[in-house]
Amino acid sequence: MAAETFAQMPSLADGGAETLAWMRRMRDEQPLWVDAANMHHVFRYADVQAVMSDPARFSSNIGRILPGHDPEQISANLPWLDPPDHRRLRQLVSQAFAPKTVVGLRPRITEIAAGLLAAVPDGEFDFVERVAYPLPVIVVAELLGLPPADRAFFRDCADRLLGVGDAGSAEAGSAAIAEANRELREYLTAEAGRQRGSRSDGLIAALTAAELDGQRLSDVQVATIAGLLLTAGHITTTMVLGNALLCLRDNPEAEARTRADRSLVPAALEEVVRQRPPFPRVVRVSTQDVAIAGGVIPAQRLVVASTLSANHDERQFPDPERFDIDRHPNRHIGFGHGIHFCLGAPLARAETQIMLDLLFDEFAELRVVGEPVHNESEYFGTRKMTVFARRS
């Protein structure tokens, strides 16, 4: 195999076809790959799982080798924390997405989802704009206890973070995301200050009253956690909903079976997350020299573990390119693995199951029109997706 085959990872802009073919070659021929930026990539399921399972050798605190980050923000940035700090903060935050909490949210999720579907017309519309991101952004805004008057701003920030709309060039898109992050951080910091000491039953007020290591969280720390919940509770669901329609488009027999037997919806969505995980990779930092994937990763290197590749690894999943709603067991790592398993997974599962069930109830026909506009790297999913819907 020529060296240039491994020179650069393909973009996900085509929906992942080129990337998946490239990753298949990498799993077979170069399971440990060093890119031009000296980042070390692993692709096989066992190696990806090992990286995600071992915080002692693969630290989540990438800020340790990427300078310029605010220590106060890092102290509350759950994805960047290692034990024991990670455990203490996750216990504090996990109440928002605990299974018991999510069960209590199901009636409200159903009400929001039904309202969104009632507002869309028969004919063509953008599924992402009208359905896939409004549902979770409304849910997470209510969960945080944000004032209804501010939810339009909150949604606008979410739009820009997801790249919804036309940003123009890649540089303009990056600038828009950075600006949205700044505005959202400033807003949430101010909101934490406003809600401190209030009787609001939202999560922001609860976090301002909580203690970590005997001390109250600062407004900046509360804002950092709230920003994380936007990602965990919003982007995950948006990606999975769009990906579900793509998987069913490509597998009409599975769609027909799932429409006819709604008990298959949960298994179908797990297979969606296996084939098209919302976050295609995780990044860690090696804390020591580590032998893995037939090579050695030196200490203090950025390590990229491809969940997308792992979920398509023939060593773990028989016939991995086949969309199989009967796949059992389905030990995918599309929601992560280990101590950093996706905080928003229970909420994302509930929202996507409820919405898919309602979509089948509402529309006799629902099909993707043309090719969606796909995210290119950070998230694996669509930014725009035109669908045709017919109620009867």
Side-chain angles (χ1 to χ4, degrees):
M1 183 66 62
E4 56 265 24
T5 301
F6 309 117
Q8 185 175 349
M9 183 181 298
S11 164
L12 292 168
D14 69 346
E18 186 180 1
T19 299
L20 286 170
W22 181 85
M23 286 178 170
R24 183 168 59 249
R25 294 195 297 270
M26 298 301 279
R27 289 193 299 271
D28 290 341
E29 301 178 34
Q30 198 165 337
L32 176 60
W33 173 62
V34 185
D35 67 19
N38 204 29
M39 298 173 70
H40 289 62
H41 298 247
V42 293
F43 300 97
R44 292 178 179 173
Y45 182 94
D47 298 326
V48 171
Q49 191 176 59
V51 169
M52 300 171 78
S53 303
D54 192 350
R57 295 193 302 166
F58 298 100
S59 169
S60 295
N61 184 11
I62 62 176
R64 65 199 295 160
I65 61 173
L66 295 177
H69 295 280
D70 181 355
E72 190 175 13
Q73 290 183 29
I74 290 178
S75 70
N77 189 350
L78 193 61
W80 279 22
L81 295 182
D82 295 320
D85 295 335
H86 173 271
R87 181 176 60 255
R88 292 194 292 266
L89 186 60
R90 185 165 179 122
Q91 287 174 343
L92 187 64
V93 178
S94 60
Q95 59 178 303
F97 294 131
K100 182 179 179 180
T101 304
V102 172
V103 169
L105 288 172
R106 290 185 73 95
R108 177 58 180 149
I109 294 170
T110 302
E111 181 183 7
I112 296 168
L116 290 171
L117 294 186
V120 299
D122 278 34
E124 293 187 1
F125 60 90
D126 185 339
F127 180 77
V128 177
E129 179 184 11
R130 300 294 295 271
V131 176
Y133 77 68
L135 171 64
V137 82
I138 294 169
V139 171
V140 76
E142 292 187 359
L143 194 64
L144 291 172
L146 299 180
D150 292 348
R151 288 174 190 165
F153 164 78
F154 189 66
R155 176 170 168 171
D156 176 64
C157 287
D159 292 352
R160 286 179 285 154
L161 288 171
L162 276 174
V164 175
D166 256 333
S169 66
E171 292 78 9
S174 296
I177 290 172
E179 180 68 8
N181 268 313
R182 183 191 63 78
E183 291 180 16
L184 184 63
R185 183 172 61 250
E186 291 177 355
Y187 167 78
L188 291 173
T189 301
E191 189 62 22
R194 188 187 71 81
Q195 292 198 30
R196 190 173 293 276
S198 75
R199 295 185 177 182
S200 169
D201 59 1
L203 187 63
I204 287 179
L207 288 171
T208 64
E211 292 187 354
L212 190 65
D213 297 333
Q215 294 187 338
R216 294 284 175 89
L217 297 169
S218 70
D219 292 348
V220 170
Q221 288 174 313
V222 171
T224 300
I225 295 169
L228 163 67
L229 299 185
L230 170 65
T231 302
H234 172 225
I235 294 175
T236 304
T237 297
T238 300
M239 295 298 104
V240 175
L241 274 172
N243 288 340
L245 291 199
L246 289 179
C247 288
L248 295 177
R249 174 199 67 180
D250 295 338
N251 299 275
E253 182 181 349
E255 178 180 3
R257 286 184 60 199
T258 308
R259 270 187 176 273
D261 182 358
R262 303 302 174 78
S263 69
L264 296 175
V265 168
L269 287 172
E270 292 304 308
E271 184 68 345
V272 169
V273 176
R274 183 191 69 82
Q275 280 213 337
R276 304 183 68 85
F279 300 95
R281 64 186 65 87
V282 299
V283 181
R284 300 288 187 264
V285 179
S286 55
T287 61
Q288 57 187 267
D289 293 356
V290 183
I292 191 170
V296 175
I297 301 177
Q300 301 303 306
R301 295 292 192 274
L302 287 174
V303 181
V304 181
S306 174
T307 54
L308 175 58
S309 177
N311 279 352
H312 287 260
D313 189 352
E314 303 83 350
R315 297 156 189 80
Q316 176 66 25
F317 300 100
D319 196 6
E321 302 311 314
R322 180 165 58 94
F323 184 81
D324 183 5
I325 60 177
D326 298 314
R327 189 179 296 277
H328 182 78
N330 189 352
R331 298 192 179 96
H332 69 77
I333 49 179
F335 285 132
H337 180 74
I339 65 171
H340 286 283
F341 182 82
C342 180
L343 194 66
L347 184 59
R349 284 180 166 124
E351 290 174 332
T352 53
Q353 289 172 16
I354 288 169
M355 180 57 84
L356 192 60
D357 214 15
L358 290 175
L359 283 167
F360 287 153
D361 286 342
E362 183 78 9
F363 300 113
E365 180 183 3
L366 181 68
R367 55 183 169 82
V368 178
V369 177
E371 187 60 24
V373 178
H374 299 275
N375 292 295
E376 295 185 8
S377 58
E378 188 173 358
Y379 312 121
F380 191 29
T382 61
R383 294 191 291 116
K384 295 181 178 181
M385 178 191 292
T386 300
V387 298
F388 173 83
R390 179 177 58 82
R391 285 179 167 84
S392 59

